[in-house]
Amino acid sequence: MARNRPPRPGVLAGLSHIALAVWALLIILPLLWTFLASFKSNTEIFGDPLQLPGALRLDSWGRAWDKAHVGQYMLNTVIVVFFGTAGTMVFGSMAAYVLARYQFIGNKLIYYYFVAGLAFPVFLALGPLFFVVKQLGLLDSHFGLILVYIAYSLPFTVFFLAAFFRTLPETVAEAAMIDGASHTRTFFQIMVPMARPGLISITIFNVLGQWNQYLLPLVLLAGDPNKWVLTQGIAKISTLAGYEADWPGLFAALSMTILPVMVVYIIFQRQIQSGLSSGALK
């Protein structure tokens, strides 16, 4: 009797693996070079790009943290991203839940209004946004930037979570209502834990998007350098590096910016993948 042999991988599968390997190298190698360059001298940086650092020089990290004020920029970024992401998830999850589970007049209109925000480029709104924030007295303030971050992140959050909430079983919510639970209690104590994979996934996406945002801080926090976020600080450091020839300090500052994002992704990568796959399979 002929034994059933496992199917051989096709040519397309092999090509896809090669493409993924090339893509991984294109991402990993620049990051690795940036990290190693932070320990090099100027001569080594402009010499052989594959050369390892001659010594473990940590002075460039100290200059980036103190002299270039990366520590202050990072603290500002953490504050803005924390409250911006928290506000986005609270308001976005509640709006998505209502739009996904309750039928009322204007439901579709409000949902499509949120979705339309995905097609609106942010740079087209920079001029009007600047004057609106200025009239509210929130220009050059972290609170004003946090509000804009929340508004900027809501369309994708509502779009993603509304589709996720529609996949959750209605019987659980109906049983909770029969037991006397209010709409608020049903949402926070029952529906939110059930939607945890999707909430974690979209939270990470919002953190990454707000952490790397440059245009909005550039327009809304242009005044006081002490309130700048990391992207503004890195742009300033890159300019000064050309005048002061402190390229190791620039790469050290870039490494400090990249490492927290990588750590967050490495820690929560399983939750991100499970959240995306759960939404797709359901």
Side-chain angles (χ1 to χ4, degrees), residues 4-5 16 75 150 158 172:
N4 294 328
R5 297 181 179 180
S16 65
L75 177 61
I150 293 174
V158 172
V172 178

Side-chain angles (χ1 to χ4, degrees), residues 163-169 191 193-198 274-282:
F164 199 90
F165 278 122
R166 291 191 187 101
T167 65
L168 300 181
M191 305 308 292
M194 292 176 62
R196 182 182 176 184
S274 65
L276 294 177
S277 60
S278 298
L281 294 176
K282 292 180 181 179

Side-chain angles (χ1 to χ4, degrees), residues 123-195:
F123 61 84
L124 292 180
L126 291 178
L129 184 63
F130 173 83
F131 290 106
V132 169
V133 175
K134 183 179 180 180
Q135 290 177 355
L136 293 174
L138 299 176
L139 198 63
D140 292 330
S141 70
H142 289 158
F143 182 67
L145 185 60
I146 290 171
L147 293 180
V148 174
Y149 273 4
I150 293 174
Y152 170 76
S153 305
L154 275 178
F156 179 70
T157 302
V158 172
F159 172 74
F160 183 93
L161 291 180
F164 199 90
F165 278 122
R166 291 191 187 101
T167 65
L168 300 181
E170 299 219 2
T171 54
V172 178
E174 292 174 355
M177 299 295 290
I178 293 174
D179 290 339
S182 63
H183 293 284
T184 304
R185 185 177 179 183
T186 301
F187 172 70
F188 283 105
Q189 295 188 359
I190 297 177
M191 305 308 292
V192 167
M194 292 176 62

Side-chain angles (χ1 to χ4, degrees), residues 16-251:
S16 65
H17 291 163
I18 295 175
L20 289 175
V22 173
W23 179 259
L25 289 176
L26 292 175
I27 299 298
I28 294 173
L29 290 180
L31 294 177
L32 182 61
W33 186 88
T34 300
F35 181 73
L36 292 177
S38 66
F39 300 104
K40 294 182 177 182
S41 63
N42 285 328
T43 304
E44 292 173 336
I45 290 176
F46 290 101
D48 185 0
L50 300 180
Q51 179 185 4
L52 294 176
L56 190 62
R57 303 179 182 90
L58 298 176
D59 55 325
S60 58
W61 288 69
R63 292 196 308 272
W65 186 265
D66 296 326
K67 184 179 177 181
H69 308 293
V70 172
Q72 182 64 46
Y73 299 146
M74 184 171 292
L75 177 61
N76 295 338
T77 304
V78 169
I79 293 173
V80 171
V81 171
F82 175 80
F83 288 103
T85 303
T88 300
M89 295 309 301
V90 170
F91 296 120
S93 61
M94 290 191 295
Y97 175 72
V98 171
L99 293 173
R101 307 304 291 263
Y102 295 91
Q103 298 298 324
F104 55 90
I105 298 175
N107 179 297
K108 294 295 183 181
L109 181 62
I110 297 175
Y111 175 74
Y112 290 133
Y113 178 78
F114 277 110
V115 174
L118 295 173
F120 191 80
V122 65
F123 61 84
L124 292 180
L126 291 178
L129 184 63
F130 173 83
F131 290 106
V132 169
V133 175
K134 183 179 180 180
Q135 290 177 355
L136 293 174
L138 299 176
L139 198 63
D140 292 330
S141 70
H142 289 158
F143 182 67
L145 185 60
I146 290 171
L147 293 180
V148 174
Y149 273 4
I150 293 174
Y152 170 76
S153 305
L154 275 178
F156 179 70
T157 302
V158 172
F159 172 74
F160 183 93
L161 291 180
F164 199 90
F165 278 122
R166 291 191 187 101
T167 65
L168 300 181
E170 299 219 2
T171 54
V172 178
E174 292 174 355
M177 299 295 290
I178 293 174
D179 290 339
S182 63
H183 293 284
T184 304
R185 185 177 179 183
T186 301
F187 172 70
F188 283 105
Q189 295 188 359
I190 297 177
M191 305 308 292
V192 167
M194 292 176 62
R196 182 182 176 184
L199 292 172
I200 293 177
S201 299
I202 196 62
T203 298
I204 300 303
F205 284 131
N206 283 326
V207 168
L208 297 179
Q210 295 181 14
W211 184 275
N212 296 321
Q213 182 58 239
Y214 177 66
L215 281 177
L216 293 176
L218 182 65
V219 173
L220 302 178
L221 284 180
D224 188 1
N226 292 324
K227 296 181 180 180
W228 285 3
V229 295
L230 270 174
T231 50
Q232 293 173 284
I234 294 299
K236 178 184 177 182
I237 295 170
S238 64
T239 302
L240 294 177
Y243 293 101
E244 300 178 359
D246 189 9
W247 300 105
L250 170 62
F251 291 116

